[in-house]
Amino acid sequence: MRLSRGRGELPSPAVDVIDTRQNVRLAILLEMLEDVSRAVEPEDAVRAYGDRIGKLRPLDALLGISQRNVPEGMYKITRRVLSSDGGVPRHEIRDPWRNWDSIEAHTGGFIGGIIARPEPRLIHNLFLKDDPVLGDRLADMGSCLAMPVFDGGRVLNWTLMFRRDARGFTIDELEQNVLTANLFGAMTKNLVSLEQINRLNEKLRQQFEEVARVQRALLPKRIPEVSGLRIAASYLPSQQAGGDYYDFFELPGGRLGVMIADVSGHGPAAATVMAMLHAIIHAFPGGAGAATPAEIVAFVNRQLTSANMDGTFATAIVARFDPATRELRYACAGHPPARRVLPVAGGLRVQALDGEATLPLGIVDELHVPEHRVTLDPGQHVVLYTDGITETFNARREILGVEGLDRVLEQARAADGPQAVIDTIHAAVLGHAGRHARDDDQTLVVLSGE
């Protein structure tokens, strides 16, 4: 079937499709580019490039020269590649980036003359016998291309190519290789930077893991046993070391002290302040048994402000439970109000424990927070939490919120005890976040009357 061309249509131009599959040089070039693109270390890229490019542009020798971090006029030979009888390049110096300190610095000789003028050079009728640096290793070379490699606007590296033929190179090859050497130099510099970043990240990762290990070691090793009270606690760290903290203090008369705190920020700084909180509260003068929660908050605050933490602060709730009266006495310093879960006909009711808004710890020298009291009867629960729970995000960047936490608590299996309450909260937080990673530590302490 023949299609007619409509009026006004331009004739299609003739197209010649050339089959490149049999082009050996192109195949070598593509193989080299593929291997170079996979390289994650500069040495891998150099080997992949050098072993293939030698097949396209045969050389008898190649030297890599660096003037980086050496005195003026001095240099290091960072790469020496000689052709073998079978045509396979023989690399006599490998991975100069890792072995830099063991490479000797030189001055003078043929190379010293080259680097004295930072410009490309085409040299014919070369004579390199008895060179003070190279000796007779390249004595049979008859021509050289000297290509400066720029870094930050300065010549810091050179690539020297050699052939035995006394007129073995052309000016066209010089132009082409100057461009190639500088493009390849930029790529290897990026790989060196990437390798350094990866090593640094690995060191940081190890340090963060060590910080997190120390942080976990400061948390209580066991849940205390208190008459009339069942206790459960949970600490889930975020991807970074954080500043969540909880602790228990067994006091005279069978009473129990409880603290939950959240240091602002993430990382080692927050973890360090968390460790400071641990040390401060365990060093309370005369022990915490005779002090009220408000007195403990004031003491901790004075110690933190005296440390001049430059904007770092912590929120906290300090509480004390007396099994004789079932009274829970507490003081709150800028922390999210605890939730009280009460059994009612047909289900559960959640209410926020009283607590006027106050400043967190570590901001002002003198912090006076009010105390509150609540009776913790059998079947009732008090849930202490950090904002990593309520500020859990989902994929749409919506937070769970305090209202969401209250809805979860209204559906909790509270009759099964404090651990069941924590399990219900965890399931809801996980369901809300989905695959979204934790942005903050998530800490829970549940006190249940029995």
Side-chain angles (χ1 to χ4, degrees), residues 26-37 45 48-53 56 184:
L26 183 59
I28 294 173
L29 181 62
L30 290 175
E31 184 181 46
M32 180 264 288
L33 292 173
E34 182 180 347
D35 283 353
V36 168
S37 72
Y49 174 81
D51 291 349
R52 301 312 198 297
I53 206 68
L56 301 176
F184 192 74

Side-chain angles (χ1 to χ4, degrees), residues 253 321-327:
F321 177 75
D322 188 340
T325 61
R326 309 194 67 86
E327 180 184 78

Side-chain angles (χ1 to χ4, degrees), residues 264-283:
S264 61
H266 301 281
T272 299
V273 177
M274 176 267 197
M276 291 173 61
L277 281 173
H278 178 274
I280 289 169
I281 198 156
H282 281 268

Side-chain angles (χ1 to χ4, degrees), residues 27-28 46 70 202 212 214 319 427:
I28 294 173
V46 169
V70 294
E202 177 60 20
V214 173

